[in-house]
Amino acid sequence: MKNNLLPDLFTLTAIFEGMEDAVLSHDLDYIILNCNPAAEKMFGCPAPVLLGQNILTLIPESVRQEQLAILERVWSGERINHLYTVRSSKLQIDFPVSLTISPIRDEQGEVIGASHIMRDVTHERETEEKRGMLAAIVENSDDAIISKTLNGIITTWNGGAEKIFGYQERETIGKHISILIPRDRLSEEDVIIENIRNGNKVDHFQTVRLHKNGSAIDISLTVSPVKDRHGT
């Protein structure tokens, strides 16, 4: 029976050590009993230094009481999923993490400790802040800024577009961009889309578009491709 269990143990150990997320486990006295290489990297400490430490030393004082209250819930058997909080490295540098805490039980089902699975979300937070800043710039721009699919369906519509074209956002999302294009200029859209499909930018194209009331508006049009992480 022992030999039959060994491959499972080796497999679990390999998974534990190969995880990109940091994993720490500790007992009811908060003493760290185990950690994986990702945890060593996250906290800037080798395993011999981390093991035997109180896990509270990795938790900034600003959130320590909150974390102790959460651990009390874990001691009662609750699992905490994807909690956004803060941890502190060996150099006392605080960084944001996404945290999942699970109770560890013995053979009788009694809670004897907890495992912490952590992911550093510094990059995600920076991306969110940048996205928020860009969204504010777009929304408050006096220029009409519109995004659309390659099929010409409008997906976003900012305040500048409302002022220039007279349509409220709710009137345009999901509609075709041709609602803004005079009939005799519909062929321009085909040329623009072909350029965008090829990854090219259409810069300061002088043309005419339509207001909601049907009046013509002389505009300078710039159209840029939106690409995914693969450059498509």
Side-chain angles (χ1 to χ4, degrees):
M1 183 180 292
K2 184 176 180 180
N3 288 337
N4 290 336
L5 291 175
L6 283 177
D8 292 334
L9 177 60
F10 291 150
T11 299
L12 289 172
T13 300
I15 292 172
F16 178 72
E17 293 184 350
M19 289 178 66
E20 293 184 2
D21 292 338
V23 183
L24 294 172
S25 65
H26 62 85
D27 60 19
L28 297 178
D29 294 319
Y30 310 114
I31 302 302
I32 298 172
L33 303 176
N34 213 335
C35 68
N36 69 344
E40 297 180 73
K41 181 178 179 181
M42 174 178 283
F43 294 103
C45 289
V49 176
L50 281 173
L51 300 183
Q53 276 197 48
N54 191 308
I55 196 168
L56 298 181
T57 63
L58 305 178
I59 302 175
E61 288 188 16
S62 59
V63 297
R64 195 168 293 171
Q65 290 304 314
E66 170 194 301
Q67 294 291 292
L68 285 170
I70 288 172
L71 283 170
E72 287 298 323
R73 292 161 54 189
V74 175
W75 299 153
S76 67
E78 183 179 348
R79 174 181 168 133
I80 309 298
N81 290 309
H82 307 301
L83 172 71
Y84 284 94
T85 185
V86 183
R87 287 295 180 263
S88 186
S89 71
K90 178 183 179 182
L91 300 176
Q92 299 302 306
I93 298 173
D94 295 348
F95 54 92
V97 296
S98 174
L99 171 67
T100 295
I101 310 178
S102 301
I104 298 174
R105 301 176 185 271
D106 62 14
E107 292 180 356
Q108 287 72 44
E110 297 293 325
V111 175
I112 58 173
S115 69
H116 296 231
I117 301 177
M118 294 160 285
R119 175 170 298 178
D120 188 333
V121 292
T122 300
H123 177 70
E124 287 87 341
R125 285 294 174 91
E126 290 174 348
T127 300
E128 287 177 7
E129 290 175 3
K130 183 177 180 181
R131 185 183 297 117
M133 181 178 67
L134 292 175
I137 292 172
V138 168
E139 184 55 34
N140 292 292
S141 174
D142 289 331
D143 291 332
I145 302 177
I146 304 165
S147 62
K148 62 184 179 183
T149 67
L150 289 178
N151 294 324
I153 302 301
I154 297 170
T155 54
T156 68
W157 183 270
N158 76 333
E162 290 187 11
K163 293 175 185 177
I164 291 174
F165 296 109
Y167 290 98
Q168 297 291 312
E169 180 184 34
R170 65 177 182 276
E171 298 178 282
T172 60
I173 302 300
K175 300 290 182 62
H176 196 274
I177 195 71
S178 60
I179 64 173
L180 305 178
I181 305 174
R183 286 180 176 273
D184 60 348
R185 292 181 179 268
L186 286 174
S187 60
E188 291 178 358
E189 181 65 8
D190 295 332
V191 175
I192 289 170
I193 291 297
E194 186 60 31
N195 273 277
I196 295 301
R197 286 186 187 279
N198 293 327
N200 300 320
K201 179 180 179 181
V202 177
D203 212 3
H204 301 299
F205 177 59
Q206 306 298 312
T207 186
V208 177
R209 291 295 181 261
L210 296 176
H211 190 276
K212 180 180 179 180
N213 63 18
S215 61
I217 308 169
D218 294 318
I219 66 167
S220 175
L221 178 66
T222 294
V223 188
S224 302
V226 176
K227 299 181 181 181
D228 63 19
R229 73 175 77 179
H230 306 295
T232 303

